[in-house]
Amino acid sequence: MNLGKQPAIKSLIVRLHKGSLILPVNLMAELVTGGELVPSEHPGVEGWLHWRNRQIPVVSIESLCMQEEEGESDEGKCLILHTVSALPGLPFIALRVQGGLNTLEILPDTLRDDHSGNMQRCPYVARQVRASHLLCFIPDLPAIEAAIAEVLQLTAEQREPVLEQD
């Protein structure tokens, strides 16, 4: 039985402060520019973005992987993503990004594993690959979302008053 060629996956290449991520296009909800973040004291959560009457946790892959100290990026852009886990209360997360978004059709043979300058096997990065000669990380979204859900459960009582101020 010939199944034929696998279809290409329409993907986004998103620039981070250091490096790039590859994400499926269908996870993207919106690219938000210039949103003010409410500060967060939790590692991995840079802050909270008010978006469409919701508080969305803004995640920094670099700080989750301890690649750099958290700091304001020079551009206030956040990519809002639909979550992949069916976690109650976490329909979206946001990633801090730089520049615009590039799309790429990914076929099974498009990506090449690349272990140069490995991110010390960060548990939030599923694969490190080269796509069109660009070093990219494929994030482990279920692991990131589980970490954020833990933070949300820790802060559920503290978040309520902030939500009521709007």
Side-chain angles (χ1 to χ4, degrees):
M1 182 167 98
N2 186 358
L3 296 175
K5 286 175 54 172
Q6 289 185 315
I9 299 170
K10 195 158 179 69
S11 301
L12 292 172
I13 294 184
V14 182
R15 271 192 353 185
L16 301 176
H17 188 63
K18 295 177 180 172
S20 298
L21 285 183
I22 295 180
L23 299 160
V25 167
N26 64 348
L27 290 183
M28 182 177 137
E30 189 175 336
L31 180 64
V32 179
T33 305
E36 282 293 309
L37 295 189
V38 176
S40 163
E41 274 111 58
H42 298 281
V45 178
E46 279 192 46
W48 299 87
L49 178 70
H50 190 74
W51 177 72
R52 298 189 182 191
N53 297 321
R54 294 177 176 269
Q55 296 291 96
I56 309 293
V58 178
V59 179
S60 164
I61 300 266
E62 284 121 328
S63 64
L64 278 175
C65 292
M66 303 304 170
Q67 290 295 302
E68 64 175 48
E69 302 74 47
E70 291 190 42
E72 281 298 302
S73 99
D74 51 349
E75 298 179 48
K77 290 187 182 178
C78 291
L79 179 64
I80 313 262
L81 299 174
H82 295 277
T83 54
V84 296
S85 311
L87 295 165
L90 190 65
F92 302 99
I93 60 171
L95 296 177
R96 182 74 84 146
V97 299
Q98 311 273 318
L101 305 175
N102 296 308
T103 57
L104 176 69
E105 297 276 323
I106 295 182
L107 293 161
D109 60 353
T110 306
L111 301 179
R112 301 263 179 258
D113 282 313
D114 185 311
H115 301 290
S116 66
N118 200 340
M119 272 187 116
Q120 288 89 42
R121 293 307 308 140
C122 172
Y124 302 105
V125 173
R127 281 177 72 192
Q128 182 170 310
V129 296
R130 287 215 175 259
S132 303
H133 306 293
L134 181 67
L135 182 63
C136 298
F137 303 107
I138 298 175
D140 186 340
L141 291 171
I144 292 169
E145 292 165 18
I148 299 307
E150 260 183 64
V151 168
L152 289 180
Q153 287 170 348
L154 292 174
T155 62
E157 301 79 36
Q158 299 156 355
R159 296 293 311 148
E160 307 263 334
V162 175
L163 293 172
E164 290 168 9
Q165 289 174 355
D166 291 334

